[in-house]
Amino acid sequence: MAIDKDLIRQPELWQLVMEIAPDRLSALAFCPLEDHSLQMMDVSLPADGGSGAAGTLKGLEDVVYDNPGLLAAFGMTTVLWRSRRMALMPGFVTGDDTALEVLRCQFPEDDAAAPAQVLSDRWEMLDVRLDYEVPSAMAAFVRRTFDNPRMHHSLTPGALWFASRHGVRGGGGKTLVNIGRRAMDVYVLGDRAPLLVNSFECPVIEDALYYLLAVRRALGLRDSDEVFMAGDRGRRVALTALLRRYVSYVMPAIFPAEMFRAGKEVLSAPFELAIAPVALRR
């Protein structure tokens, strides 16, 4: 799969959404004004760039330059960073120094690691601030290569989308699960603020079930509290079947209807990518 630049005749009307993980890049491009315009790609970052941060940067550069469709003059470009080094905090934490101190309590600086830049997302409707690290060299490459890209953490689209549909008030106990190939994002709404937002590595489906049941027990959720399932179809179906042994209401998440105009193939895209144009709309 690749983004075909020749099919993007008026790139200023198109949107590009990319997710950059430590080992791969996923992207989708579409025109909101054109039916069935969706294009997608999902590739591993090549390992021949060498080990460490320099190798990862070289891998990202190679993928981008080998796919000229990514370099069209899109009207909007959004980049999601799948970073494990992150900290959620209340929205009243407005000072960057205080936010950095909170982040460092969870993830002290690693002198052996490559320099990192701290970025911040504000989830206004949830009164939450999310600060996270991205490799400085990779962030600089993205900024100089793409036209004014919006940058967010990979957890942000799901949080905003879930909150906009179920709200915090009256939404207590509702859970959104977004399961990908090897990781699972979990969002649990409380009565006034999220009870939990986190990502778990789960290469096998039993790991995902273990984490979900552990989260539910730790938060004191009832068997009747709803769980909405999204993400990779095969893994989602398998996890749903297991989870229904323990939870009364497990159902598919409602996909944003307007994204179907781009093409039904959008259902096979990573959920956080597919909902980002709607969830991050300003």
Side-chain angles (χ1 to χ4, degrees):
M1 297 185 294
I3 307 296
D4 189 343
K5 193 172 185 177
D6 293 337
L7 297 178
I8 305 174
R9 298 179 181 85
Q10 293 181 281
E12 68 275 8
L13 302 178
W14 283 61
Q15 293 187 33
L16 173 69
V17 186
M18 296 189 299
E19 181 175 39
I20 300 174
D23 61 346
R24 63 191 311 107
L25 182 146
S26 305
L28 61 83
F30 74 103
C31 177
L33 305 178
E34 183 179 335
D35 292 342
H36 309 295
S37 60
L38 183 71
Q39 298 189 52
M40 298 189 299
M41 65 176 287
D42 179 57
V43 297
S44 298
L45 298 183
D48 54 7
S51 61
T56 304
L57 173 61
K58 180 64 164 55
L60 177 62
E61 292 173 340
D62 288 347
V63 165
V64 171
Y65 292 139
D66 288 345
N67 292 273
L70 294 174
L71 300 175
F74 291 98
M76 179 178 292
T77 297
T78 302
V79 178
L80 306 179
W81 296 95
R82 186 155 284 279
S83 171
R84 296 286 298 167
R85 294 175 63 88
M86 62 174 189
L88 286 158
M89 58 200 82
F92 62 70
V93 179
T94 57
D96 291 342
D97 291 342
T98 302
L100 181 60
E101 185 177 350
V102 173
L103 178 64
R104 289 289 170 253
C105 285
Q106 293 184 242
F107 296 98
E109 274 193 288
D110 183 356
D111 294 334
Q117 177 181 358
V118 176
L119 302 180
S120 180
D121 286 358
R122 307 298 176 93
W123 302 349
E124 300 291 350
M125 68 180 69
L126 291 169
D127 194 25
V128 167
R129 171 177 178 151
L130 170 63
D131 278 31
Y132 56 101
E133 285 186 1
V134 299
S136 298
M138 294 178 73
F141 169 73
V142 167
R143 288 194 178 97
R144 67 175 178 265
T145 305
F146 299 95
D147 183 21
N148 194 29
R150 304 187 302 171
M151 299 204 289
H152 297 280
H153 193 278
S154 291
L155 288 171
T156 294
L160 299 182
W161 178 85
F162 195 38
S164 69
R165 277 148 184 77
H166 296 283
V168 175
R169 298 191 181 281
K174 291 183 178 180
T175 301
L176 170 65
V177 176
N178 173 24
I179 186 162
R181 291 185 189 87
R182 296 185 61 84
M184 174 181 66
D185 301 335
V186 180
Y187 308 80
V188 183
L189 295 178
D191 291 328
R192 290 175 294 179
L195 297 178
L196 177 137
V197 178
N198 207 346
S199 185
F200 302 90
E201 292 293 323
C202 47
V204 297
I205 208 68
E206 289 78 10
D207 289 344
L209 178 66
Y210 169 81
Y211 286 126
L212 270 176
L213 295 180
V215 162
R216 293 181 64 81
R217 173 170 291 187
L219 297 177
L221 301 183
R222 301 165 298 180
D223 291 347
S224 59
D225 288 331
E226 298 166 306
V227 179
F228 299 89
M229 304 293 296
D232 179 86
R233 185 180 185 279
R235 282 165 60 81
R236 184 183 76 235
V237 169
L239 180 57
T240 296
L242 292 174
L243 191 59
R244 280 181 172 156
R245 301 176 186 175
Y246 307 95
V247 181
S248 302
Y249 300 100
V250 185
M251 62 207 77
I254 298 175
F255 195 84
E258 61 197 274
M259 289 303 297
F260 283 120
R261 182 177 182 183
K264 64 181 181 180
E265 297 83 0
V266 73
L267 288 173
S268 63
F271 186 69
E272 62 275 15
L273 278 180
I275 65 172
V278 176
L280 300 175
R281 182 184 294 140
R282 293 175 179 172

